[in-house]
Amino acid sequence: MDASDRDRKKAWKLQQRKLAQDAFPISDALLESLFKAVDAQVENSGCDHTLRFTQSWIAEHKQPEAEILAWLREHGGFCDCEVLSNSADNWEQNR
């Protein structure tokens, strides 16, 4: 791979990251808050294979539930523990 190929690859990766960031349903800071809160709850109480902690955070912070849940599900977050293992991973890789 020559230098121009590396430059094109780097530009493509940056473009993909920007697209992923633009698709975040709420700000980076709010996503961080969501993931930390859900992590603490799952750590304390375990996962019951629902989104109860996620939905509780969304309601408490008056955020757009449908939009957030759609994004989480799109990235593998179908319950609280999957929100942490899948959706948070996607967020970490693209923030």
Side-chain angles (χ1 to χ4, degrees):
M1 182 180 289
D2 65 15
S4 69
D5 288 338
R6 281 191 293 277
D7 289 344
R8 280 195 306 276
K9 183 177 180 180
K10 184 177 180 181
W12 178 82
K13 284 184 175 183
L14 288 172
Q15 178 187 29
Q16 295 304 304
R17 187 174 182 192
K18 176 71 171 127
L19 289 171
Q21 289 171 350
D22 290 346
F24 289 168
I26 53 179
S27 72
D28 188 63
L30 284 171
L31 281 171
E32 183 173 14
S33 174
L34 167 65
F35 295 134
K36 283 183 178 182
V38 172
D39 185 45
Q41 291 290 337
V42 169
E43 177 96 11
N44 189 42
S45 302
C47 182
D48 65 359
H49 307 292
T50 69
L51 290 164
R52 71 181 172 137
F53 301 134
T54 300
Q55 289 173 308
S56 175
W57 183 93
I58 291 169
E60 181 180 318
H61 291 83
K62 297 177 177 46
Q63 295 300 308
E65 181 174 20
E67 185 178 341
I68 294 170
L69 293 180
W71 183 85
L72 293 170
R73 288 182 178 122
E74 182 179 331
H75 295 94
F78 295 96
C79 69
D80 289 322
C81 66
E82 290 178 340
V83 163
L84 297 173
S85 63
N86 299 331
S87 303
D89 185 52
N90 176 274
W91 168 73
E92 281 285 340
Q93 291 176 15
N94 292 296
R95 62 189 296 212

